[in-house]
Amino acid sequence: MSDATPADAPAAPRSPAALFWACTVLALQGFGGVLAVVQHELVERRRWLTREQFLEDWAAAQVLPGPNVVNLALMIGGRHFGWRGAVAALSGMLLAPLVLLLAIAVAFSHVAAHPVAQGALRGMGAVAAGLIVGTALRLLPALAGNVLGLAWCAVLGGATFVAVAILRWPLAAVLAVTGGVGWALAARRLRHRAKEPV
């Protein structure tokens, strides 16, 4: 048996320190549309995750309490370096942004009521929405290999969108229902695959 690493296998952070600095850079880029930045950095640039792994980890990060990107960083850090990696990832995600946020909050408090500042914030909301839609479109091909198949992925994704964006149901309840249905369907299909003769 060969020990060679497959060409499409994801890379790994070199050390907890490298993970800390990568998370710091990632956190400082995450203005508004953090999903787009995270996907680009971890999948396309650093190649620490495949698109399929990113979708799976991001789904788990959304179900867990707390900020999605912090949960994802903790998962990656813990996977590669245990508790040291988790602490390095968490520190990288929070330390520099906290200092920067405090500085911005102090500066913005002096101009918050100005119409130009209000307009800039509204414009950034549109940019953030565009980044999220663009990232979703880039990740769609990764669903082709999903155990549920494209049809069920579309049904669950559409139901989640309608429930949250149109009906404005509570996110936790929607995730519990659609996530539960997705989990049950995936578990059932995986059991059937395991029983099939090789």
Side-chain angles (χ1 to χ4, degrees):
M1 190 161 90
S2 172
D3 291 335
T5 304
D8 59 346
R14 291 186 312 275
S15 66
L19 183 63
F20 169 83
W21 288 113
C23 286
T24 298
V25 169
L26 183 62
L28 291 175
Q29 293 179 71
F31 290 92
V34 69
L35 174 59
V37 175
V38 171
Q39 189 271 340
H40 174 76
E41 278 290 313
L42 299 181
V43 176
E44 296 172 18
R45 185 167 174 268
R46 297 184 186 274
R47 301 188 186 279
W48 288 352
L49 298 169
T50 64
R51 274 196 267 188
E52 292 76 14
Q53 288 172 327
F54 178 79
L55 281 175
E56 292 169 7
D57 286 357
W58 189 257
Q62 286 192 314
V63 174
L64 296 170
N68 302 339
V69 69
V70 173
N71 293 341
L72 182 65
L74 283 167
M75 291 162 62
I76 292 171
R79 182 179 300 147
H80 291 291
F81 304 107
W83 69 268
R84 293 183 308 123
V87 169
L90 182 64
S91 300
M93 292 302 301
L94 299 179
L95 191 60
L98 176 62
V99 172
L100 183 60
L101 184 61
L102 290 173
I104 290 173
V106 169
F108 190 73
S109 66
H110 298 295
V111 296
H114 198 281
V116 173
Q118 295 296 321
L121 289 177
R122 289 189 193 98
M124 289 307 295
V127 171
L131 285 169
I132 292 170
V133 171
T135 301
L137 292 175
R138 275 207 312 262
L139 291 173
L140 278 178
L143 292 176
N146 192 289
V147 67
L148 292 178
L150 282 176
W152 270 111
C153 287
V155 167
L156 290 171
T160 303
F161 175 80
V162 168
V164 173
I166 297 172
L167 300 177
R168 299 193 182 277
W169 289 351
L171 180 60
V174 173
L175 284 177
V177 173
T178 57
V181 170
W183 175 84
L185 288 170
R188 184 174 175 224
R189 291 201 175 184
L190 288 171
R191 278 196 302 272
H192 282 303
R193 281 188 187 177
K195 291 178 184 175
E196 290 175 1
V198 179

